[in-house]
Amino acid sequence: MTVPSFQPLQGMSDLAAPEIYLWQEVEETARRILALYHVGEVRTPILEPTGLFVRSLGEGTDVVQKEMYTFEDRGGRQVSLRPEGTAGVIRFLAGQGDEAAGARVYYLGPMFRAERPQAGRRRQFHQLGVELIGPPNPAQDVEAVAMQQHLLNAWGLHGARIEINTRGLPDEQDAVSAGIRRALEPDAGRLCEDCRRRLLTNVLRVLDCKQEGCRALVDKLPPVTDFMGQESRAYLEEVKRLLALMELPVEINPRLVRGLDYYLHTIWEIKHPALGAQDALSGGGRYRIEWEGAVVEGVGFAAGLERILTALQQEKGHPAGTAQGRPVAWIVSQGAGTLEQNLVLAQTLRRRGVPCGLALDGRSVKAQMRAANRSGAAFAVIRGELEREKGLVVLKNMKDGTQEELELPALLERLLLATRAEVAST
Ligand code: AMP
């Protein structure tokens, strides 16, 4: 006999009240801020051909090698749950031809990576990502960083740090990898097992390793710009100049790398000290991706919403959002015949915009009052046989316990006022 399980799969979560109100708040704020930057939403499928990720993220990357949920669909095609959002958006834009030039889009939704679950690492997590399409241009990179800074401020996050570096040009990447490999080789024996493998397959990932031994070696490495040409260095200098002009507080981290192959020039990461080992809130960079012969260039970033929420809860010290979602009124029915009249009353109130609840199962008045309390409603509206005959209802203030008898038009007016006050306070 199998034991019933109400748990989702490991590393995945059900999201519900009260945290869901904080999710909604974060998402609504993001939509509002992105509209200021003239960035529009795009929704692409969660399932894509595996080749899309292999070709755009890079065959040797950890995401592709170890973390994708890949399977054969019923037609025998290799498909994968998206581990990130850029590849799908670029597939979509590549198909738009010239119309995609200058596109500015964002996406918001779940991503999937079959990682070992640990604090801050989920197998299903959510990202808000932005893609600004256009050829390499320091001003566009800086606009993307400014947008992220604006989002952080609007969410009310203050402790985050933005770190920036350059990935250089595609044809310099072999020289950079070779230079870093040469610098690391004498100490290869002190690298962790993963990094010894990365030394051969994808040496830049060593710079990302969280193991203490590897970090100590990485700290002694020369900056990646030592292995790049004048054009890449000048690009980075221009980005730095514009960042200063915009008064954006960023740090240059000469050893920052991003683990995917499609990046070039500016790359950045936003970290938050409250997050522990997995401290990246968000990552971004400039890229060049080829799909079916079309080349899409742009700059973008993706913020991990779980981590944004964790950082917000840490900074603010409480699980926000508990005040939302509660009804203004809870309607209590007393005696046969009132239930259906109250169903009509609830509908009238809701049509006018008053959030209200009622129990439809004929439970006792005491049980209904308990439900009213639990719901957090500001008022209980009680209507028994006696009030019904007089055409009145009893309005009970749940906070101070005071009661008054009102006619229906007066009730509606009171509850509309209370609804407006509630909306204004959230
Ligand atoms: P990446 O594309 O890996 O740089 O991811 C961008 C952002 O998504 C990171 O900065 C994290 O905030 C978030 N993220 C990435 N992987 C995970 C994960 N497994 N669980 C939760 N958040 C993640």
Side-chain angles (χ1 to χ4, degrees), residues 11 63 67 83-86 107 111-128 148 205 208 257-260 262-263 268-271 275 278-284 301-308:
V63 170
E67 297 169 2
E84 58 96 64
T86 302
Y107 57 84
M111 306 293 157
F112 302 84
R113 295 185 194 173
E115 307 190 76
R116 193 164 52 82
Q118 49 178 294
R121 270 202 191 287
R122 316 287 305 152
R123 289 182 169 174
Q124 177 177 330
F125 58 99
H126 297 75
Q127 284 186 340
L128 165 73
Q148 270 210 281
R205 285 306 308 257
D208 253 355
V257 288
R258 305 260 309 131
L260 309 176
Y262 55 49
Y263 288 116
W268 68 91
E269 210 152 76
I270 301 192
K271 298 181 175 168
L275 294 179
Q278 303 304 326
D279 61 353
L281 276 181
S282 177
F301 61 82
L305 293 183
E306 279 77 2
R307 296 194 195 166
I308 298 284

Side-chain angles (χ1 to χ4, degrees), residues 47 71-79:
L47 201 58
F71 55 95
E72 201 178 283
D73 74 3
R74 285 168 186 274
R77 288 168 291 253
Q78 286 292 310
V79 293

